[in-house]
Amino acid sequence: MSTVGDTDRSAVETAAMRRALELAANGPARGVNPRVGCVILSPAGEVLAEGWHRGAGTAHAEVDALGRLAEHQSASGATAVVTLEPCNHTGRTGPCAEALIEAGVARVVYAVADPGEHSAGGAERLRDAGVDVAGGLLAEAAEDFLGDWLFAARHRRPYVTVKWAASLDGRAAAADGTSQWITGPAARLDVHRRRAEHDAIGVGTGTVLADDPSLTARGPEGELLDAQPVPVVFGRRPVPEGAALTRHPHAIIAVDGRDLAADLHDLAKRGIRSLFVEGGPTLASAFIAAGHADELLVYLAPALLGGGRLAVGDLGITTIGEARRYDFTAIERLGDDVLLVAHPISRRAPRSSTIATEGN
């Protein structure tokens, strides 16, 4: 049986990894499990089978690909190219590392190491069984693709985007409390599209009681978009029975908000990988002060309001040396308004798209 030469193997495996990333995109974008793709190559570098993970409880990508081998084909001596390190965990399905070993796979190439608390260690298990293992192929592309999932797996909490809309002088509302609409229709339309890109949307009970938001993602005619973020309410006061949130397509998740770290850990265990916080100055300030704001989205309208209704409240900063510093990573013109996207200087943004939201 002919085998691919060392000089050609890199190109063949790189092409297979690109294909594996394409396959991974077929999987569900939300939920506890990552989107993973796998390509099985013969010793000669030919594609024997392809697979991807279709969601919780279904075969993982490696097992899916092995199951698609033709009757006369064998994975003995083959190379498995997979976007994420094969798991070493028995849950609703068995460990992929063991499945690859049992199938006789000789080499495994993966893009990103699995940071899972229980699923990591597949590469070591494969090496112990004599399988040739190489990691890091197209790692940057895989990191971008798996951004939210990787962040949640590494930090045991969702990636948090904090948003507010403000006037040029940083006011979120006029003196009488009115705030609709600080920004214009182009920004509002963009807002709803961005809401749909998050697993969940968070507000405080104060916002629920004062503004009665629906927190849905809607199109230009007010129609509900297919993807809807799960509403999360932070606070101890109950949501009124007739509140707009009670008619949301998803059930409300209520957390008391006294321990944001614990609340975020709980949300991650529920499969929420990205949280969009737009619940007013109190909640925004709490996330920023606690160090849980991974991305800031600030809509600035060309207007001045004056007064004391600031978009962000007290952060416990008493001197300029304590200022929290950010990098502007995007600036976007939306109609008459400007969207500023900023990230903490020490933190890499795992999302490739610009996220924004506004209103109720």
Side-chain angles (χ1 to χ4, degrees), residues 107-300:
R107 177 172 166 83
V108 172
V109 180
Y110 66 88
V112 179
D114 188 340
E117 188 174 4
H118 303 292
S119 55
E124 182 179 359
R125 176 69 188 92
L126 288 163
R127 290 190 181 100
D128 288 345
V131 177
D132 182 24
V133 180
L137 181 62
L138 296 187
E140 186 173 352
E143 287 269 354
D144 289 341
F145 177 76
L146 288 169
D148 288 343
W149 183 85
L150 282 174
F151 184 94
R154 288 167 177 164
H155 297 274
R156 311 294 186 254
R157 68 168 179 83
Y159 181 78
V160 176
T161 298
V162 175
K163 166 268 173 184
W164 64 83
S167 59
L168 282 176
D169 51 349
R171 268 59 185 178
D176 64 355
T178 56
S179 61
Q180 297 181 337
W181 296 102
I182 290 178
T183 53
R188 296 198 294 273
L189 184 61
D190 183 68
V191 157
H192 289 283
R193 181 174 66 86
R194 304 299 186 173
R195 281 183 178 183
E197 295 181 359
H198 283 78
D199 291 339
I201 184 167
V203 295
T205 52
T207 295
V208 173
L209 296 173
D211 298 340
D212 192 27
S214 64
L215 300 183
T216 52
R218 305 186 292 276
E221 304 302 322
E223 73 279 12
L224 292 179
L225 299 181
D226 291 338
Q228 293 292 329
V230 175
V232 179
V233 178
F234 292 82
R236 286 159 293 191
R237 289 177 288 180
V239 175
E241 290 186 7
L245 268 184
T246 62
R247 299 185 292 277
H248 194 283
H250 295 296
I252 299 168
I253 296 177
V255 293
D256 70 19
R258 286 178 290 186
D259 186 341
L260 290 180
D263 292 339
L264 290 173
H265 183 68
D266 177 63
L267 292 176
K269 290 195 296 184
R270 294 171 181 259
I272 292 174
R273 307 192 305 232
S274 59
L275 174 67
F276 196 62
V277 175
E278 60 167 318
T282 300
L283 192 62
S285 303
F287 272 91
I288 294 170
H292 297 319
D294 305 302
E295 181 175 64
L296 300 182
L297 301 172
V298 182
Y299 281 109
L300 285 180

